[in-house]
């Protein structure tokens, strides 16, 4: 349970990795007390994102140990700062990747805080007061209310948690490419995992013809029958790829394993756009010919701003969109991380924080 210690920091129970073995163990740490702009949140669920694996293992060389991962957080508000408007005790809320930004640059002033140069993340970041941020693998969170969204009553708290990262990551580039204002476009989703499966749902909800592009023929039945994809291309089948050349208006590439963009670009019509949201560790192979001969565009996208995140959650509430999840108790976090690393999950693990086991 939380309690206030003499230095006015909250003592909080959670789960952390302490070195690059990435093994998660119980960890008690301090959070700031609820400030005037903050809300305190009793965490109910936290999704496990692929980024968590990179951080616990220090794959990117930036991890500050001990690291408490988790940026797909849902919970209930337990305390509200005196300057906070629009949130009340008991509200169902969510927190994603962002913990702070400068609040005063062109991006912060245009609801694109996610591109602020001083952005700080929900974990492994440095908050304004100089403290290291700890994420959602923990019983509670103190968050600045400007980085918190309301969750509609119609959405379940468990299957909604991954929308705070996986959901907004795929929604934002679709909005950026105006897909919400058009129907009947031909859109492709590369990779059918945590990001890809929810991208299909958004694509269908916007009214488009959705094609999944995957290396695994075994995923076709599920993509078509359960997730509602209209077409399926096996990317390793050269003949099939050839027959679908110049058929798509927009492609979202969610794959973080190394792969060449050339064959994917060939699927785009002239002037088509390919957006990368998967982040391979090594530079991607980007041949110039498919770009030049098709006047095609390749761009990236990283999560979304807070206004857009709220709009995404509201859209999900209206269209009954959630992630397909497997719930794990806190004593199974290590197992879940290993299975996620092996792509052995449909499609997102979510930790049942409030129902945590006492065995770990
Ligand atoms: Zn994430
Ligand atoms: Zn800024």
């Amino acid at each position: 349970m939380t309690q206030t210690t003499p230095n006015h920091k909250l003592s909080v129970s959670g789960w952390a990795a302490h070195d690059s073995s990435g093994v998660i163990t119980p960890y008690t740490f301090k959070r700031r007390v609820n400030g005037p702009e903050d809300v305190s949140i009793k965490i109910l669920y936290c999704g496990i994102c692929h980024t968590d694996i990179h951080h616990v293992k220090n794959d990117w060389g930036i991890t500050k140990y001990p690291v408490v991962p988790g940026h797909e957080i849902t919970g209930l508000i337990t305390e509200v700062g005196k300057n906070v408007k629009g949130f009340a005790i008991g509200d169902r809320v969510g927190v994603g990747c962002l913990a702070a930004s400068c609040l005063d640059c062109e991006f912060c002033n245009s609801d694109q805080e996610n591109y602020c140069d001083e952005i700080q993340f929900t974990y492994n970041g440095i908050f304004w007061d100089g403290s290291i941020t700890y994420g959602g693998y923990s019983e509670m969170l103190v968050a600045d209310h400007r980085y918190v969204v309301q969750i509609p009553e119609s959405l379940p708290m468990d299957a909604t948690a991954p929308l705070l990262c996986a959901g907004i990551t795929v929604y934002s580039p679709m909005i950026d490419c105006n897909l919400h204002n058009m129907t009947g476009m031909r859109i492709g989703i590369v990779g059918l995992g945590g990001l890809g499966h929810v991208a299909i749902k958004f694509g269908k909800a916007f009214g488009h013809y959705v094609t999944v592009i995957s290396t695994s023929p075994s995923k076709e039945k599920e993509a078509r029958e359960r997730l509602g994809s209209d077409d399926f291309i096996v990317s390793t089948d050269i003949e099939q790829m050839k027959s679908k050349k110049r058929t798509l208006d927009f492609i979202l590439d969610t794959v973080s394993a190394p792969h060449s963009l050339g064959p994917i670009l060939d699927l785009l019509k002239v002037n088509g756009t390919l957006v990368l949201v998967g982040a391979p560790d090594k530079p991607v192979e980007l041949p110039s010919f498919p770009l030049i001969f098709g006047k095609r565009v390749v761009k990236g996208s990283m999560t979304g701003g807070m206004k857009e995140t709220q709009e995404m959650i509201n859209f999900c509430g209206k269209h009954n969109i959630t992630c397909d999840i497997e719930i794990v108790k806190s004593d199974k976090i290590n197992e879940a991380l290993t299975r996620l690393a092996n792509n052995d999950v449909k499609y997102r693990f979510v930790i049942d924080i409030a129902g945590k086991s006492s065995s770990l």
Side-chain angles (χ1 to χ4, degrees):
M1 295 308 291
T2 58
Q3 59 184 48
T4 306
T5 53
N7 60 359
H8 302 293
K9 294 275 180 80
L10 299 171
S11 189
V12 177
S13 299
W15 295 269
H18 296 261
D19 55 51
S20 61
S21 70
V23 174
I24 302 277
T25 54
Y27 176 57
T28 301
F29 59 98
K30 301 277 194 283
R31 291 200 188 275
R32 68 180 185 274
V33 290
N34 199 84
E37 302 287 349
D38 291 331
V39 294
S40 291
I41 300 164
K42 174 187 163 59
I43 298 177
L44 297 178
Y45 296 99
C46 184
I48 299 182
C49 173
H50 219 274
T51 306
D52 302 350
I53 299 176
H54 292 300
H55 275 100
V56 300
K57 290 184 178 294
N58 198 19
D59 286 343
W60 298 329
I62 55 168
T63 303
K64 296 181 262 290
Y65 290 107
V67 60
V68 177
H71 58 207
E72 297 183 341
I73 301 163
T74 57
L76 304 173
I77 290 195
T78 55
E79 196 175 342
V80 178
K82 67 175 168 39
N83 296 346
V84 174
K85 299 215 164 54
F87 292 95
I89 289 173
D91 281 2
R92 294 152 41 93
V93 294
V95 173
C97 302
L98 308 187
S101 58
C102 84
L103 300 176
D104 195 29
C105 69
E106 65 173 296
F107 303 104
C108 288
N109 286 325
S110 58
D111 297 314
Q112 302 176 85
E113 309 87 347
N114 48 317
Y115 296 112
C116 173
D117 205 25
E118 294 175 34
I119 188 174
Q120 295 300 330
F121 296 108
T122 297
Y123 67 86
N124 203 49
I126 310 278
F127 193 66
W128 292 315
D129 64 2
S131 62
I132 290 174
T133 57
Y134 295 113
Y137 293 17
S138 61
E139 61 178 353
M140 68 85 69
L141 179 72
V142 180
D144 186 291
H145 75 285
R146 286 165 285 211
Y147 306 92
V148 179
V149 295
Q150 294 276 5
I151 296 176
E153 285 296 328
S154 61
L155 289 175
M157 295 296 263
D158 50 3
T160 293
L163 294 173
L164 276 312
C165 172
I168 188 62
T169 295
V170 299
Y171 180 87
S172 183
M174 289 176 148
I175 299 297
D176 189 51
C177 290
N178 218 20
L179 293 182
H180 59 313
N181 287 326
M182 299 183 275
T183 52
M185 303 294 281
R186 302 256 159 175
I187 70 169
I189 310 294
V190 186
L192 186 55
L195 297 176
H197 91 287
V198 69
I200 299 174
K201 298 182 186 188
F202 284 131
K204 291 309 296 174
F206 291 141
H208 302 303
Y209 185 92
V210 177
T211 298
V212 171
I213 301 142
S214 168
T215 54
S216 315
S218 61
K219 291 185 175 174
E220 176 162 1
K221 194 171 180 321
E222 165 126 341
R224 285 181 184 272
E225 290 175 12
R226 209 172 61 77
L227 296 167
S229 157
D230 301 291
D231 198 4
F232 190 95
I233 303 175
V234 180
S235 56
T236 48
D237 183 334
I238 294 166
E239 283 309 308
Q240 217 185 94
M241 289 289 279
K242 245 190 201 161
S243 73
K244 303 285 180 171
K245 267 175 116 170
R246 293 196 173 203
T247 59
L248 303 176
D249 298 288
F250 168 94
I251 299 177
L252 187 71
D253 188 341
T254 69
V255 173
S256 53
H259 59 293
S260 173
L261 300 186
I264 295 168
L265 281 169
D266 279 332
L267 298 174
L268 282 174
K269 295 178 186 173
V270 172
N271 251 334
T273 300
L274 168 64
V275 183
L276 306 181
V277 290
D281 294 342
K282 305 236 160 56
V284 290
E285 194 186 315
L286 177 57
S288 54
F289 277 26
L291 276 182
I292 293 166
F293 280 75
K295 204 172 53 153
R296 297 168 175 120
V297 176
V298 179
K299 62 198 287 191
S301 181
M302 188 193 67
T303 187
M306 294 316 302
K307 181 166 176 276
E308 191 170 59
T309 304
Q310 183 68 67
E311 286 165 4
M312 180 268 312
I313 288 280
N314 294 347
F315 182 84
C316 290
K318 213 164 141 193
H319 295 268
N320 279 324
I321 294 174
T322 55
C323 288
D324 293 22
I325 59 164
E326 185 176 327
I327 298 259
V328 290
K329 298 286 186 200
S330 58
D331 58 350
K332 294 285 191 286
I333 293 174
N334 291 306
E335 202 176 287
L337 285 167
T338 304
R339 283 184 53 199
L340 176 60
N342 295 323
N343 290 323
D344 176 21
V345 58
K346 283 181 180 168
Y347 282 92
R348 209 66 158 175
F349 285 112
V350 171
I351 308 166
D352 178 6
I353 300 280
K356 66 178 187 255
S357 158
S358 57
S359 64
L360 187 108

